Amino acid sequence: MRHVIESQQFDKALIEQLCNRASELERMLNNKRAQKTELFKGRMMFTVFYEPSTRTRISFNAAAQHLGMEVVSTENAREFSSAAKGETLEDTIRTLCQYRPDIIVLRHFETGAASVAAKVSSVPIINAGDGTGQHPTQALLDVYTIKKELGRLDNLEVVIGGDLAHGRTVRSLAYLLAKFKDNSLVFLAPKDLEIGKDIKDYLTKHKVKFSESTDKNSALKTADVVYWTRVQKERFDSSKLVQTLVMDKKAMKLMKKSAILMHPLPRVDEIATEVDSDPKAVYFKQAGNGMFIRMALIEWVLAGN
């Protein structure tokens, strides 16, 4: 069964296949003025979110509907489901499978929840973010964006900055970038928010060049991609944290003209709104790309089930 649990399960060939198909689907929707297809008419997707979401949940819903699927969605299952009464995730998934979905897209506040769900599910589980663990579909849309904007996924210097200790998107992205040749990663974070040892061990094992820095100005000058993230205030006590890593016009001037600034969104105050008009800022395009790569992923999942 084709579950989507973590970024490590995607090899280079599959990543390129999904990106190519996403590009085809994007052209198709543009040509047909975004009319939905009947490709998967009669199929159904459940989106079950225990944490708040705008882009991920809605883009999954839109992706499925553009493919002709029906969608059943809950946006706050942590509060408005039987989880509030103490029901286990396993029992919830077993119950949902009785309603005959073809796919369940799950976001959960606990790291590893997607793996737990996959063990008891009779239909494919797609991990839409689990605690501080991973967010593989975000990473897929991130590499799709890089390929669209820069034309390649190798020989890149990628600066990944912000809260790297709690941000699941940066973890998943690091795994995918490690699949391609000659990429160099620079992890830029304040003290106590550094990237986890497991990611560094993985990159070392796979001979991927990386470094850690707190010098924003120096790191920005040579980057091809700057991937900025917010402080995950909901995951730890950040009241004493003074966030100094802010992207503003001054910081943007340090970047190469050919470089791009990305962000998984939502942003808070780590990217100034004055940056939005800069052609190097592609984070809203990036969010839009999520629907196309998720369409391609749904196709791939259903093709194997």
Side-chain angles (χ1 to χ4, degrees):
M1 190 178 299
R2 287 183 172 175
H3 298 295
V4 177
I5 306 300
E6 59 185 11
S7 289
Q8 297 95 303
Q9 72 187 81
F10 295 96
D11 60 22
K12 180 180 176 181
L14 180 53
I15 295 167
E16 291 178 336
Q17 173 189 326
L18 291 170
C19 286
N20 291 338
R21 181 54 178 159
S23 182
E24 291 175 357
L25 290 164
E26 183 173 359
R27 288 195 299 270
M28 179 187 74
L29 287 185
N30 289 340
N31 291 338
K32 293 187 177 182
R33 297 184 180 182
Q35 294 179 0
K36 74 177 184 179
T37 72
E38 299 298 321
L39 187 60
F40 290 112
K41 184 177 181 179
R43 300 290 192 104
M44 182 178 291
M45 183 178 76
F46 289 178
T47 51
V48 183
F49 279 55
Y50 287 79
E51 285 187 324
S53 171
T54 302
R55 282 148 294 275
T56 303
R57 187 175 63 87
I58 292 177
S59 69
F60 259 117
N61 291 355
Q65 291 187 36
H66 278 303
L67 292 170
M69 300 179 72
E70 300 294 332
V71 176
V72 176
S73 182
T74 177
E75 60 182 314
N76 192 356
R78 188 174 189 176
E79 184 177 352
F80 297 113
S81 77
S82 291
K85 303 174 185 177
E87 183 175 59
T88 65
L89 176 61
E90 292 94 328
D91 282 0
T92 297
I93 296 298
R94 289 187 182 102
T95 300
L96 293 177
C97 287
Q98 299 302 311
Y99 305 143
R100 304 298 191 270
D102 294 280
I103 296 175
I104 295 175
V105 179
L106 176 69
R107 169 168 289 189
H108 204 278
F109 52 89
E110 292 182 350
T111 301
S115 294
V116 171
K119 289 177 182 177
V120 300
S121 179
S122 59
V123 302
I125 297 291
I126 298 181
N127 181 5
D130 60 339
T132 58
Q134 287 210 40
H135 196 344
T137 68
Q138 176 70 47
L140 287 171
L141 77 88
D142 292 339
V143 296
Y144 179 49
T145 300
I146 293 170
K147 187 173 183 180
K148 280 183 64 177
E149 296 294 327
L150 300 182
R152 70 186 193 278
L153 288 172
D154 54 11
N155 193 29
L156 294 167
E157 182 170 321
V158 181
V159 171
I160 302 177
D163 181 357
L164 309 187
H166 304 94
R168 57 196 173 203
T169 63
V170 299
R171 296 170 55 79
S172 293
L173 179 59
Y175 283 125
L176 289 195
L177 290 173
K179 307 289 184 180
F180 295 86
K181 291 178 58 179
D182 301 323
N183 285 335
S184 175
L185 309 184
V186 180
F187 296 113
L188 186 65
K191 185 180 178 182
D192 298 328
L193 295 182
E194 298 94 341
I195 195 72
K197 182 177 181 298
D198 59 331
I199 300 296
K200 291 185 281 187
D201 288 346
Y202 180 90
L203 296 175
T204 299
K205 179 180 178 181
H206 290 83
K207 299 180 180 179
V208 179
K209 184 179 178 182
F210 73 91
S211 61
E212 296 182 87
S213 176
T214 57
D215 186 349
K216 179 179 72 174
N217 292 350
S218 177
L220 294 180
K221 291 178 181 178
T222 56
D224 298 299
V225 178
V226 177
Y227 192 91
W228 223 241
T229 64
R230 68 183 176 90
V231 173
Q232 304 275 310
K233 295 179 180 179
E234 68 273 25
R235 304 200 187 280
F236 73 111
D237 181 7
S238 61
S239 59
K240 297 181 179 180
L241 177 67
V242 178
Q243 188 175 355
T244 58
L245 295 179
V246 177
M247 291 297 295
D248 51 20
K249 281 188 175 180
K250 183 177 179 181
M252 294 296 287
K253 289 180 180 179
L254 296 173
M255 294 171 57
K256 299 186 297 186
K257 287 186 178 180
S258 60
I260 58 174
L261 174 64
M262 300 175 64
H263 192 297
L265 301 177
R267 68 164 165 197
V268 184
D269 52 10
E270 66 280 356
I271 296 181
T273 55
E274 65 184 13
V275 170
D276 295 351
S277 60
D278 192 303
K280 294 191 286 287
V282 300
Y283 31 84
F284 292 115
K285 291 182 186 178
Q286 177 186 350
N289 290 334
M291 185 180 73
F292 304 114
I293 201 71
R294 287 171 176 132
M295 288 177 72
L297 186 67
I298 290 168
E299 278 192 342
W300 176 79
V301 169
L302 291 178
N305 295 278

